[in-house]
Amino acid sequence: METRIRSLAYVLGDNIDTDQIIPARYLVYNPADPEEYRMFGRYALSGVPTERAGLPDGRIPFVRDGEYTSDYQVVIAGKNFGCGSSREHAPIALNAAGVKAVVANSYARIFFRNAVNGGYLIPLETAERLCEEVRTGDVVEIDIDGCLLTNITTGKQYRLRPLGDVRPIIAAGGIFNYARQAGLVPNQPDSSSA
Amino acid sequence: MGQTLTEKILARAAGKARTEPGENIWVNVDVLMTHDVCGPGTIGVFKQHFGPTARVWDRDRVVIIPDHYIFTKDEKARRNIEILREFAREQQLPYFYDVGTERYKGVCHIALPEEGHTRPGEVLLGTDSHTCTAGAFGEFATGVGNTDAGFVLGTGKIWLKVPPTLCFVYEGNPPPWITAKDLILATIGLIGCDGATYKAMEFRGDALAQLGAIAADFAGTAVNERGVRFNPLIEERMTLCNMVIEAGGKNGVIEPDDVTIEFVEERMKAAGTYRPYEPLKSDKDATYEAVYTIRVDELEPVVARPHSPDNTAAVSELAGEPLDRAYIGSCTGGKLFDMIAAARILAGHTVKIDTYVVPATSEILQALDRVRLNGKTLRQVFEDAGCIIGPPSCGACLGGPLDTLGRLNEPLRCISSTNRNFPGRMGHKEAQVFLASPLTVAASAVRGAITDPRELLP
Ligand code: SF4
């Protein structure tokens, strides 16, 4: 597990729901197919209304037209990030676009769970209104073990909440690896069973 | 110290005497449901981790209900249904409700109880956030992603954090123009769309025995060829539980009573899905994190404005807001109760704006021809009013492929009996969606502007 992440930040507001993260019309792609998986990156965050895409100024595309990955590997948002549907395509879209961590005031439960169990990205929480402090395009550095986010551009530092009891699952790379370590699922896919 | 219904169901499913909120436990799953949008990914996860020839943990406990992208020419959408078909064949799954066959149902959350897959006291997981709907039957029901569902397919187990329970007590006798949709919108407006995050919402109170009054005279009408009877009260309880996710809730739940038992027994027997189950109830001295009391006899119809279900207002505050479109459908507002409620308003009127009526399931679509209002079938009422009736599926509730009937392909102003109005939910990301009860949607369709249903109720 990467414990230090340095990247350009992309900033969003409150209640970014799963339809904004990946609009429903793109759910026809099958994430189990590697070629189609890339398509989720292409359309990641494409449902965010233009004026609010990349705060505070807006009108900043998360993924440039025709590209599959984003220049921003850290997303900063307000409260209730990932609310709405249970589609795992949402953390998948961010992962496919290259996002390593999201820092938000709070998460909707299913998004948080999917992000952790699928091992797609690290969902970090903070009590501070980072979405009003950081500007899209600032360089930030996250120190996961130190529970600290530094805005390299401004020099300011912010506290993050510890990952708590999901840390071992994130460190294992998702629920399957975690469960394998605990002996809950077989070590190798068993192709001999009928 | 006593336990809430949610705590008791989870404790039993984990093989424990009791659980505490905040505890992480491994739970045995009774039913896993998936559909065409999340099924292919779930199957992919299952095969990747358990091997290409692995078998599901229990084929009688896996239910597959394609419902999202059905009536579209989109090739990938059709391919996804083919993936489900192939998996159902390979695993010999008895509960696959295939598209284009007699068995095709429509919206999964309504199909589950129709086909007798909801049982008090059980644990139901689904790859869809509105799986919480089934809490209306006194079970623990919640939505999960593909990875969790893939894990359950292989093991029958899931880890869950036991949620604390918020208790909502609805007191008083709801007037006929107040539906469960108004109750739940008012509740979401009260606590906000993250007000129940990580929490269970338990609904109680004497009003829960009196919901559905506007369709009460149809109670007991046979709705399908199996002779199963219409139950407006149960449908309204489903609407309450359906939208707990719009408050961020993990699950919604209503204690099972005689009505619940009668309903699930009738459905299971008709569908041939009977298996023993054990209902549970909250202890008298259960500990709730908070208790809210809501008087329903004083409520006005509620509307949620764009772009969030908690952006609520009384209908009178918004009366006259111009609209371009009305939509009646989905797991929230596309049940037979919703059809009857809308027809009550629409009978004898014509709509001023494009109005789509999309029954949630094929059973409900058929009921449009069986149920009569003042001598006319519901279908005639809708057609005479100028509505467009669509085939049963999720339809434009979530936008979907561009050729989906009723999808907001332009930035229109739409009033809808569905459950979400975040930007882009029904299609265009600059469209404005107002959420309301089927009565309010129908009244607004007649006037072409937001209208209090009391003005049009006969
Ligand atoms: S009807 Fe709408 S809310 Fe219900 S399952 Fe379908 S898409 Fe989801």
Side-chain angles (χ1 to χ4, degrees), chain A residues 17 19 24-25 28 30 36 46 48 79-80 84-86 88-89 107 109 112-114 117 165 175-176 180 184 191 193, chain B residues 24 26 49 53 69 76 79-80 127-129 142-143 145-148 158-159 161 193 197 250 398 420 422 425 429:
Chain A
D17 80 306
D19 278 287
R25 57 187 287 207
V28 295
N30 181 2
E36 292 183 32
S46 64
V48 178
K79 66 177 177 118
N80 207 22
S85 96
S86 65
E88 195 156 310
H89 314 73
Y107 292 90
R109 183 189 68 84
F112 185 87
R113 189 178 171 97
N114 287 343
N117 282 355
D165 52 12
I175 191 68
F176 275 97
R180 249 180 223 116
L184 270 157
S191 47
S193 69
Chain B
N24 285 316
W26 285 93
H49 291 283
T53 57
Y69 302 159
K76 290 241 160 26
R79 183 272 323 260
N80 288 347
T127 58
D128 192 284
S129 60
T142 195
N146 301 347
T147 299
D148 275 330
I158 189 167
W159 74 268
K161 190 191 274 283
C193 64
T197 300
K250 182 169 198 149
L398 84 162
R420 282 190 187 133
F422 297 115
R425 170 66 178 180
K429 64 182 176 184

Short mmCIF file of all heavy atoms in Angstrom, two decimals, chain A residues 17 19 24-25 28 30 36 46 48 79-80 84-86 88-89 107 109 112-114 117 165 175-176 180 184 191 193, chain B residues 24 26 49 53 69 76 79-80 127-129 142-143 145-148 158-159 161 193 197 250 398 420 422 425 429:
data_model
loop_
_atom_site.label_atom_id
_atom_site.label_comp_id
_atom_site.label_asym_id
_atom_site.label_seq_id
_atom_site.Cartn_x
_atom_site.Cartn_y
_atom_site.Cartn_z
N ASP A 17 -22.76 12.48 -6.30
CA ASP A 17 -23.39 11.15 -6.33
C ASP A 17 -22.78 10.30 -7.45
O ASP A 17 -22.02 10.80 -8.28
CB ASP A 17 -24.91 11.27 -6.46
CG ASP A 17 -25.33 11.53 -7.88
OD1 ASP A 17 -24.82 12.50 -8.47
OD2 ASP A 17 -26.15 10.76 -8.42
N ASP A 19 -24.02 9.07 -10.08
CA ASP A 19 -24.35 9.44 -11.46
C ASP A 19 -23.41 10.54 -11.97
O ASP A 19 -23.18 10.63 -13.17
CB ASP A 19 -25.79 9.95 -11.55
CG ASP A 19 -26.78 8.81 -11.64
OD1 ASP A 19 -26.85 8.17 -12.69
OD2 ASP A 19 -27.46 8.54 -10.63
N ALA A 24 -25.10 6.98 -15.90
CA ALA A 24 -25.71 5.66 -16.09
C ALA A 24 -25.56 5.13 -17.51
O ALA A 24 -25.47 3.93 -17.73
CB ALA A 24 -27.18 5.71 -15.71
N ARG A 25 -25.49 6.05 -18.50
CA ARG A 25 -25.44 5.53 -19.88
C ARG A 25 -24.17 4.73 -20.15
O ARG A 25 -24.12 3.93 -21.07
CB ARG A 25 -25.57 6.67 -20.90
CG ARG A 25 -24.52 7.73 -20.72
CD ARG A 25 -24.77 8.92 -21.61
NE ARG A 25 -24.48 8.64 -23.00
CZ ARG A 25 -24.12 9.58 -23.87
NH1 ARG A 25 -24.07 10.85 -23.48
NH2 ARG A 25 -23.87 9.27 -25.11
N VAL A 28 -23.20 0.33 -19.42
CA VAL A 28 -23.29 -0.82 -20.32
C VAL A 28 -21.94 -1.51 -20.49
O VAL A 28 -21.89 -2.68 -20.84
CB VAL A 28 -23.85 -0.41 -21.71
CG1 VAL A 28 -25.28 0.06 -21.58
CG2 VAL A 28 -22.97 0.64 -22.36
N ASN A 30 -18.70 -3.53 -19.37
CA ASN A 30 -18.50 -4.56 -18.35
C ASN A 30 -17.11 -4.40 -17.73
O ASN A 30 -16.10 -4.59 -18.41
CB ASN A 30 -18.65 -5.94 -19.00
CG ASN A 30 -18.47 -7.06 -17.99
OD1 ASN A 30 -18.28 -6.82 -16.80
ND2 ASN A 30 -18.54 -8.29 -18.47
N GLU A 36 -12.89 -2.72 -21.74
CA GLU A 36 -14.05 -1.91 -21.36
C GLU A 36 -13.79 -1.18 -20.04
O GLU A 36 -14.31 -0.10 -19.81
CB GLU A 36 -15.31 -2.78 -21.29
CG GLU A 36 -15.72 -3.28 -22.67
CD GLU A 36 -17.01 -4.10 -22.68
OE1 GLU A 36 -17.89 -3.84 -21.85
OE2 GLU A 36 -17.11 -5.01 -23.53
N SER A 46 -17.64 12.66 -15.51
CA SER A 46 -18.19 13.42 -16.64
C SER A 46 -19.61 13.88 -16.37
O SER A 46 -20.16 14.68 -17.13
CB SER A 46 -18.14 12.58 -17.92
OG SER A 46 -18.97 11.44 -17.81
N VAL A 48 -20.51 15.57 -13.68
CA VAL A 48 -20.51 16.76 -12.81
C VAL A 48 -20.90 17.97 -13.66
O VAL A 48 -20.30 18.20 -14.72
CB VAL A 48 -19.12 16.98 -12.17
CG1 VAL A 48 -19.13 18.24 -11.31
CG2 VAL A 48 -18.70 15.77 -11.36
N LYS A 79 -19.00 16.80 1.73
CA LYS A 79 -19.62 15.69 2.46
C LYS A 79 -20.40 14.77 1.54
O LYS A 79 -20.79 15.16 0.44
CB LYS A 79 -20.52 16.24 3.57
CG LYS A 79 -21.72 16.99 3.05
CD LYS A 79 -22.60 17.45 4.21
CE LYS A 79 -23.74 18.26 3.68
NZ LYS A 79 -25.05 17.77 3.90
N ASN A 80 -20.60 13.54 2.02
CA ASN A 80 -21.48 12.55 1.37
C ASN A 80 -21.00 12.18 -0.03
O ASN A 80 -21.80 12.00 -0.95
CB ASN A 80 -22.91 13.10 1.33
CG ASN A 80 -23.95 12.01 1.30
OD1 ASN A 80 -23.70 10.88 1.71
ND2 ASN A 80 -25.13 12.34 0.82
N GLY A 84 -25.94 7.88 -3.57
CA GLY A 84 -26.71 7.42 -4.71
C GLY A 84 -26.65 5.91 -4.85
O GLY A 84 -26.84 5.19 -3.88
N SER A 85 -26.33 5.47 -6.03
CA SER A 85 -26.48 4.05 -6.34
C SER A 85 -25.33 3.22 -5.77
O SER A 85 -24.33 3.76 -5.30
CB SER A 85 -26.61 3.84 -7.84
OG SER A 85 -25.38 3.52 -8.41
N SER A 86 -25.48 1.89 -5.85
CA SER A 86 -24.46 1.00 -5.29
C SER A 86 -23.44 0.62 -6.34
O SER A 86 -22.57 -0.19 -6.08
CB SER A 86 -25.12 -0.26 -4.74
OG SER A 86 -25.70 -0.99 -5.80
N GLU A 88 -20.54 -0.27 -8.40
CA GLU A 88 -19.10 -0.33 -8.16
C GLU A 88 -18.35 0.37 -9.29
O GLU A 88 -17.18 0.67 -9.19
CB GLU A 88 -18.68 -1.79 -8.01
CG GLU A 88 -17.31 -1.96 -7.40
CD GLU A 88 -17.13 -3.31 -6.73
OE1 GLU A 88 -18.01 -3.69 -5.92
OE2 GLU A 88 -16.14 -3.99 -7.00
N HIS A 89 -19.10 0.62 -10.39
CA HIS A 89 -18.51 1.35 -11.50
C HIS A 89 -17.99 2.72 -11.06
O HIS A 89 -17.14 3.29 -11.73
CB HIS A 89 -19.53 1.54 -12.62
CG HIS A 89 -20.33 0.31 -12.95
ND1 HIS A 89 -21.31 -0.19 -12.14
CD2 HIS A 89 -20.28 -0.52 -14.03
CE1 HIS A 89 -21.84 -1.28 -12.70
NE2 HIS A 89 -21.23 -1.50 -13.85
N TYR A 107 -18.39 10.08 3.47
CA TYR A 107 -18.72 9.23 2.32
C TYR A 107 -20.08 8.60 2.50
O TYR A 107 -20.50 8.31 3.63
CB TYR A 107 -17.70 8.09 2.18
CG TYR A 107 -16.34 8.58 1.80
CD1 TYR A 107 -15.42 8.92 2.80
CD2 TYR A 107 -15.98 8.73 0.48
CE1 TYR A 107 -14.17 9.40 2.46
CE2 TYR A 107 -14.73 9.20 0.13
CZ TYR A 107 -13.83 9.54 1.13
OH TYR A 107 -12.59 10.02 0.79
N ARG A 109 -22.09 5.26 2.42
CA ARG A 109 -21.61 3.97 2.93
C ARG A 109 -21.17 3.00 1.83
O ARG A 109 -20.12 2.39 1.90
CB ARG A 109 -22.74 3.34 3.75
CG ARG A 109 -22.40 2.04 4.40
CD ARG A 109 -23.65 1.42 4.99
NE ARG A 109 -24.58 1.01 3.96
CZ ARG A 109 -24.51 -0.14 3.32
NH1 ARG A 109 -23.56 -0.99 3.59
NH2 ARG A 109 -25.39 -0.45 2.39
N PHE A 112 -17.92 3.93 -0.04
CA PHE A 112 -16.76 3.71 0.81
C PHE A 112 -16.40 2.23 0.84
O PHE A 112 -15.25 1.83 0.66
CB PHE A 112 -17.08 4.22 2.23
CG PHE A 112 -15.91 4.16 3.17
CD1 PHE A 112 -15.01 5.22 3.25
CD2 PHE A 112 -15.70 3.05 3.99
CE1 PHE A 112 -13.92 5.17 4.11
CE2 PHE A 112 -14.62 3.00 4.86
CZ PHE A 112 -13.73 4.05 4.92
N ARG A 113 -17.43 1.43 1.04
CA ARG A 113 -17.25 -0.01 1.13
C ARG A 113 -16.69 -0.59 -0.18
O ARG A 113 -15.76 -1.40 -0.18
CB ARG A 113 -18.61 -0.61 1.44
CG ARG A 113 -18.58 -2.03 1.79
CD ARG A 113 -19.96 -2.55 2.14
NE ARG A 113 -19.81 -3.98 2.23
CZ ARG A 113 -19.62 -4.64 3.37
NH1 ARG A 113 -19.65 -4.02 4.51
NH2 ARG A 113 -19.42 -5.93 3.37
N ASN A 114 -17.27 -0.16 -1.30
CA ASN A 114 -16.80 -0.65 -2.60
C ASN A 114 -15.35 -0.25 -2.85
O ASN A 114 -14.56 -1.03 -3.38
CB ASN A 114 -17.68 -0.10 -3.73
CG ASN A 114 -19.05 -0.77 -3.77
OD1 ASN A 114 -19.25 -1.83 -3.17
ND2 ASN A 114 -19.99 -0.14 -4.45
N ASN A 117 -13.28 -2.54 -0.40
CA ASN A 117 -13.34 -3.98 -0.66
C ASN A 117 -12.79 -4.34 -2.03
O ASN A 117 -12.23 -5.41 -2.22
CB ASN A 117 -14.78 -4.49 -0.52
CG ASN A 117 -15.16 -4.66 0.93
OD1 ASN A 117 -14.33 -4.48 1.81
ND2 ASN A 117 -16.40 -5.00 1.20
N ASP A 165 -10.44 0.64 11.22
CA ASP A 165 -10.51 -0.82 11.04
C ASP A 165 -10.56 -1.27 9.58
O ASP A 165 -10.54 -2.47 9.30
CB ASP A 165 -11.64 -1.45 11.86
CG ASP A 165 -12.97 -0.77 11.64
OD1 ASP A 165 -13.06 0.03 10.68
OD2 ASP A 165 -13.91 -1.03 12.40
N ILE A 175 -10.89 -6.98 -0.29
CA ILE A 175 -11.49 -7.97 0.60
C ILE A 175 -11.06 -9.39 0.26
O ILE A 175 -10.92 -10.24 1.15
CB ILE A 175 -13.04 -7.84 0.58
CG1 ILE A 175 -13.67 -8.67 1.71
CG2 ILE A 175 -13.64 -8.22 -0.75
CD1 ILE A 175 -13.39 -8.17 3.08
N PHE A 176 -10.80 -9.69 -1.02
CA PHE A 176 -10.43 -11.06 -1.36
C PHE A 176 -9.05 -11.42 -0.80
O PHE A 176 -8.88 -12.48 -0.19
CB PHE A 176 -10.48 -11.27 -2.87
CG PHE A 176 -11.85 -11.62 -3.35
CD1 PHE A 176 -12.69 -10.66 -3.87
CD2 PHE A 176 -12.32 -12.93 -3.25
CE1 PHE A 176 -13.97 -10.97 -4.29
CE2 PHE A 176 -13.60 -13.25 -3.66
CZ PHE A 176 -14.43 -12.28 -4.19
N ARG A 180 -8.35 -14.12 2.03
CA ARG A 180 -7.41 -15.21 1.77
C ARG A 180 -6.41 -15.34 2.91
O ARG A 180 -6.13 -16.44 3.38
CB ARG A 180 -6.66 -14.95 0.47
CG ARG A 180 -7.06 -15.90 -0.60
CD ARG A 180 -6.35 -15.67 -1.90
NE ARG A 180 -7.35 -15.79 -2.93
CZ ARG A 180 -7.73 -14.83 -3.72
NH1 ARG A 180 -7.14 -13.65 -3.67
NH2 ARG A 180 -8.68 -15.03 -4.58
N LEU A 184 -10.43 -17.52 4.57
CA LEU A 184 -11.86 -17.60 4.28
C LEU A 184 -12.17 -18.03 2.85
O LEU A 184 -13.25 -18.52 2.57
CB LEU A 184 -12.53 -16.25 4.54
CG LEU A 184 -13.04 -16.07 5.97
CD1 LEU A 184 -13.14 -14.59 6.30
CD2 LEU A 184 -14.39 -16.74 6.14
N SER A 191 -9.60 -24.60 -10.14
CA SER A 191 -10.20 -24.90 -11.44
C SER A 191 -10.47 -26.40 -11.60
O SER A 191 -10.95 -26.83 -12.63
CB SER A 191 -9.30 -24.39 -12.56
OG SER A 191 -7.97 -24.77 -12.31
N SER A 193 -12.44 -28.14 -9.48
CA SER A 193 -13.77 -28.51 -8.99
C SER A 193 -14.77 -28.54 -10.14
O SER A 193 -14.65 -27.78 -11.09
CB SER A 193 -14.24 -27.53 -7.91
OG SER A 193 -14.49 -26.28 -8.50
N ASN B 24 -17.93 -5.37 13.95
CA ASN B 24 -17.78 -5.99 12.62
C ASN B 24 -18.05 -7.47 12.73
O ASN B 24 -17.41 -8.15 13.53
CB ASN B 24 -16.36 -5.77 12.08
CG ASN B 24 -16.16 -4.34 11.62
OD1 ASN B 24 -17.01 -3.76 10.96
ND2 ASN B 24 -15.04 -3.75 12.00
N TRP B 26 -19.23 -11.34 10.62
CA TRP B 26 -19.44 -12.10 9.39
C TRP B 26 -20.84 -12.68 9.44
O TRP B 26 -21.22 -13.32 10.42
CB TRP B 26 -18.40 -13.21 9.24
CG TRP B 26 -17.07 -12.67 8.83
CD1 TRP B 26 -16.05 -12.32 9.65
CD2 TRP B 26 -16.62 -12.40 7.50
NE1 TRP B 26 -14.98 -11.84 8.91
CE2 TRP B 26 -15.31 -11.89 7.59
CE3 TRP B 26 -17.20 -12.55 6.22
CZ2 TRP B 26 -14.57 -11.52 6.47
CZ3 TRP B 26 -16.46 -12.18 5.11
CH2 TRP B 26 -15.16 -11.67 5.24
N HIS B 49 -11.90 -14.88 -8.84
CA HIS B 49 -11.38 -15.28 -7.54
C HIS B 49 -11.68 -16.72 -7.15
O HIS B 49 -10.98 -17.30 -6.33
CB HIS B 49 -11.89 -14.34 -6.45
CG HIS B 49 -11.30 -12.97 -6.57
ND1 HIS B 49 -10.02 -12.68 -6.16
CD2 HIS B 49 -11.80 -11.81 -7.06
CE1 HIS B 49 -9.75 -11.41 -6.40
NE2 HIS B 49 -10.82 -10.86 -6.95
N THR B 53 -14.53 -22.55 -13.21
CA THR B 53 -15.55 -23.60 -13.13
C THR B 53 -16.21 -23.66 -11.75
O THR B 53 -16.92 -24.61 -11.43
CB THR B 53 -14.94 -24.98 -13.43
OG1 THR B 53 -13.87 -25.20 -12.50
CG2 THR B 53 -14.40 -25.05 -14.85
N TYR B 69 -31.55 -2.01 -18.32
CA TYR B 69 -31.47 -1.61 -19.74
C TYR B 69 -32.05 -2.72 -20.59
O TYR B 69 -31.32 -3.54 -21.15
CB TYR B 69 -30.01 -1.35 -20.13
CG TYR B 69 -29.33 -0.28 -19.30
CD1 TYR B 69 -27.95 -0.21 -19.21
CD2 TYR B 69 -30.07 0.68 -18.61
CE1 TYR B 69 -27.32 0.77 -18.46
CE2 TYR B 69 -29.46 1.66 -17.86
CZ TYR B 69 -28.08 1.70 -17.79
OH TYR B 69 -27.47 2.66 -17.04
N LYS B 76 -24.18 -3.33 -26.11
CA LYS B 76 -23.52 -3.78 -24.88
C LYS B 76 -24.57 -4.15 -23.83
O LYS B 76 -24.38 -5.10 -23.08
CB LYS B 76 -22.60 -2.68 -24.36
CG LYS B 76 -21.38 -2.46 -25.25
CD LYS B 76 -20.12 -2.73 -24.49
CE LYS B 76 -18.89 -3.02 -25.31
NZ LYS B 76 -18.82 -2.51 -26.66
N ARG B 79 -25.70 -7.50 -24.69
CA ARG B 79 -24.61 -8.43 -24.39
C ARG B 79 -24.61 -8.76 -22.88
O ARG B 79 -24.40 -9.91 -22.47
CB ARG B 79 -23.28 -7.80 -24.84
CG ARG B 79 -22.03 -8.65 -24.68
CD ARG B 79 -21.33 -8.54 -23.34
NE ARG B 79 -21.31 -7.23 -22.73
CZ ARG B 79 -20.27 -6.40 -22.76
NH1 ARG B 79 -19.19 -6.72 -23.39
NH2 ARG B 79 -20.33 -5.23 -22.13
N ASN B 80 -24.85 -7.73 -22.06
CA ASN B 80 -24.85 -7.96 -20.61
C ASN B 80 -25.93 -8.95 -20.20
O ASN B 80 -25.73 -9.79 -19.32
CB ASN B 80 -25.04 -6.63 -19.87
CG ASN B 80 -23.79 -5.77 -19.95
OD1 ASN B 80 -22.72 -6.25 -20.33
ND2 ASN B 80 -23.92 -4.50 -19.59
N THR B 127 -27.14 -6.19 -5.57
CA THR B 127 -26.17 -5.26 -6.16
C THR B 127 -26.88 -4.01 -6.63
O THR B 127 -26.70 -3.56 -7.76
CB THR B 127 -25.45 -5.89 -7.36
OG1 THR B 127 -26.46 -6.26 -8.30
CG2 THR B 127 -24.63 -7.08 -6.98
N ASP B 128 -27.70 -3.46 -5.77
CA ASP B 128 -28.45 -2.26 -6.12
C ASP B 128 -28.82 -1.56 -4.82
O ASP B 128 -29.26 -2.19 -3.87
CB ASP B 128 -29.72 -2.66 -6.88
CG ASP B 128 -30.36 -1.43 -7.51
OD1 ASP B 128 -31.00 -0.66 -6.76
OD2 ASP B 128 -30.19 -1.22 -8.71
N SER B 129 -28.63 -0.25 -4.82
CA SER B 129 -28.79 0.48 -3.56
C SER B 129 -30.22 0.42 -3.02
O SER B 129 -30.43 0.51 -1.82
CB SER B 129 -28.35 1.93 -3.73
OG SER B 129 -29.14 2.56 -4.71
N THR B 142 -29.93 -4.80 2.14
CA THR B 142 -29.08 -3.66 1.80
C THR B 142 -28.37 -3.89 0.47
O THR B 142 -28.26 -5.02 0.00
CB THR B 142 -28.07 -3.37 2.93
OG1 THR B 142 -27.51 -2.06 2.74
CG2 THR B 142 -26.94 -4.37 2.96
N GLY B 143 -27.88 -2.79 -0.10
CA GLY B 143 -27.18 -2.85 -1.39
C GLY B 143 -25.69 -3.03 -1.20
O GLY B 143 -25.11 -2.51 -0.25
N GLY B 145 -21.76 -3.75 -3.62
CA GLY B 145 -21.12 -3.65 -4.93
C GLY B 145 -20.78 -5.01 -5.51
O GLY B 145 -21.10 -6.05 -4.94
N ASN B 146 -20.10 -4.98 -6.67
CA ASN B 146 -19.77 -6.22 -7.37
C ASN B 146 -18.80 -7.10 -6.58
O ASN B 146 -18.91 -8.33 -6.60
CB ASN B 146 -19.08 -5.92 -8.71
CG ASN B 146 -19.92 -5.08 -9.63
OD1 ASN B 146 -21.10 -4.90 -9.40
ND2 ASN B 146 -19.30 -4.55 -10.67
N THR B 147 -17.83 -6.46 -5.93
CA THR B 147 -16.82 -7.25 -5.22
C THR B 147 -17.46 -8.00 -4.06
O THR B 147 -17.25 -9.20 -3.89
CB THR B 147 -15.69 -6.32 -4.72
OG1 THR B 147 -15.09 -5.71 -5.85
CG2 THR B 147 -14.64 -7.10 -3.95
N ASP B 148 -18.26 -7.29 -3.26
CA ASP B 148 -18.96 -7.95 -2.16
C ASP B 148 -19.87 -9.05 -2.69
O ASP B 148 -19.92 -10.15 -2.14
CB ASP B 148 -19.82 -6.93 -1.39
CG ASP B 148 -19.00 -6.21 -0.33
OD1 ASP B 148 -18.04 -6.80 0.19
OD2 ASP B 148 -19.34 -5.05 -0.01
N ILE B 158 -20.72 -12.39 4.22
CA ILE B 158 -20.27 -11.02 4.03
C ILE B 158 -19.89 -10.44 5.39
O ILE B 158 -20.47 -10.85 6.41
CB ILE B 158 -21.37 -10.16 3.37
CG1 ILE B 158 -20.82 -8.79 2.97
CG2 ILE B 158 -22.59 -10.01 4.29
CD1 ILE B 158 -21.73 -8.00 2.06
N TRP B 159 -18.90 -9.53 5.39
CA TRP B 159 -18.66 -8.83 6.66
C TRP B 159 -19.48 -7.55 6.67
O TRP B 159 -19.60 -6.86 5.66
CB TRP B 159 -17.18 -8.56 6.94
CG TRP B 159 -16.53 -7.47 6.12
CD1 TRP B 159 -15.87 -7.62 4.94
CD2 TRP B 159 -16.49 -6.06 6.42
NE1 TRP B 159 -15.45 -6.40 4.48
CE2 TRP B 159 -15.80 -5.43 5.36
CE3 TRP B 159 -16.96 -5.27 7.47
CZ2 TRP B 159 -15.57 -4.05 5.34
CZ3 TRP B 159 -16.74 -3.89 7.44
CH2 TRP B 159 -16.05 -3.30 6.38
N LYS B 161 -20.66 -4.09 9.28
CA LYS B 161 -20.57 -3.37 10.55
C LYS B 161 -22.01 -3.17 11.03
O LYS B 161 -22.85 -2.70 10.28
CB LYS B 161 -19.88 -2.02 10.32
CG LYS B 161 -19.51 -1.30 11.61
CD LYS B 161 -19.07 0.13 11.33
CE LYS B 161 -17.60 0.28 10.99
NZ LYS B 161 -16.70 0.19 12.12
N CYS B 193 -29.76 14.27 3.30
CA CYS B 193 -29.47 13.08 2.50
C CYS B 193 -28.22 12.34 2.95
O CYS B 193 -27.81 11.36 2.34
CB CYS B 193 -29.48 13.37 1.00
SG CYS B 193 -28.24 14.49 0.46
N THR B 197 -26.47 8.03 7.34
CA THR B 197 -25.31 7.31 6.82
C THR B 197 -24.77 6.33 7.86
O THR B 197 -24.59 6.70 9.02
CB THR B 197 -24.21 8.32 6.39
OG1 THR B 197 -24.76 9.16 5.39
CG2 THR B 197 -22.98 7.61 5.82
N LYS B 250 -28.27 2.53 5.79
CA LYS B 250 -27.76 1.22 5.40
C LYS B 250 -28.94 0.31 5.10
O LYS B 250 -28.92 -0.45 4.14
CB LYS B 250 -26.95 0.66 6.56
CG LYS B 250 -26.32 -0.69 6.31
CD LYS B 250 -25.34 -0.97 7.44
CE LYS B 250 -24.36 -2.05 7.11
NZ LYS B 250 -23.08 -1.85 7.78
N LEU B 398 -33.24 6.13 -14.22
CA LEU B 398 -31.81 6.43 -14.12
C LEU B 398 -31.25 6.84 -15.48
O LEU B 398 -30.08 6.62 -15.76
CB LEU B 398 -31.03 5.22 -13.57
CG LEU B 398 -30.58 4.10 -14.50
CD1 LEU B 398 -29.50 3.28 -13.84
CD2 LEU B 398 -31.71 3.28 -14.94
N ARG B 420 -34.60 9.77 -7.12
CA ARG B 420 -33.38 10.58 -7.09
C ARG B 420 -33.45 11.71 -8.08
O ARG B 420 -33.94 11.52 -9.20
CB ARG B 420 -32.16 9.73 -7.45
CG ARG B 420 -31.71 8.88 -6.33
CD ARG B 420 -30.38 8.23 -6.58
NE ARG B 420 -30.16 7.31 -5.48
CZ ARG B 420 -29.77 6.07 -5.60
NH1 ARG B 420 -29.49 5.58 -6.80
NH2 ARG B 420 -29.63 5.31 -4.54
N PHE B 422 -30.48 13.92 -8.30
CA PHE B 422 -29.14 14.48 -8.40
C PHE B 422 -28.90 14.87 -9.87
O PHE B 422 -29.58 14.36 -10.77
CB PHE B 422 -28.10 13.46 -7.94
CG PHE B 422 -28.23 13.06 -6.50
CD1 PHE B 422 -28.55 11.77 -6.14
CD2 PHE B 422 -28.03 14.00 -5.49
CE1 PHE B 422 -28.67 11.40 -4.80
CE2 PHE B 422 -28.15 13.63 -4.16
CZ PHE B 422 -28.47 12.33 -3.81
N ARG B 425 -29.39 12.53 -13.22
CA ARG B 425 -29.97 11.22 -12.88
C ARG B 425 -30.89 10.67 -13.97
O ARG B 425 -30.86 9.51 -14.32
CB ARG B 425 -30.73 11.33 -11.56
CG ARG B 425 -31.58 10.12 -11.21
CD ARG B 425 -30.72 8.91 -10.94
NE ARG B 425 -31.54 7.77 -10.56
CZ ARG B 425 -31.05 6.57 -10.26
NH1 ARG B 425 -29.76 6.36 -10.32
NH2 ARG B 425 -31.84 5.59 -9.91
N LYS B 429 -27.54 16.44 -17.77
CA LYS B 429 -27.05 16.88 -16.45
C LYS B 429 -27.51 18.29 -16.08
O LYS B 429 -27.34 18.70 -14.94
CB LYS B 429 -25.53 16.71 -16.33
CG LYS B 429 -24.65 17.51 -17.24
CD LYS B 429 -23.18 17.13 -16.98
CE LYS B 429 -22.26 17.84 -17.94
NZ LYS B 429 -20.86 17.43 -17.76
#
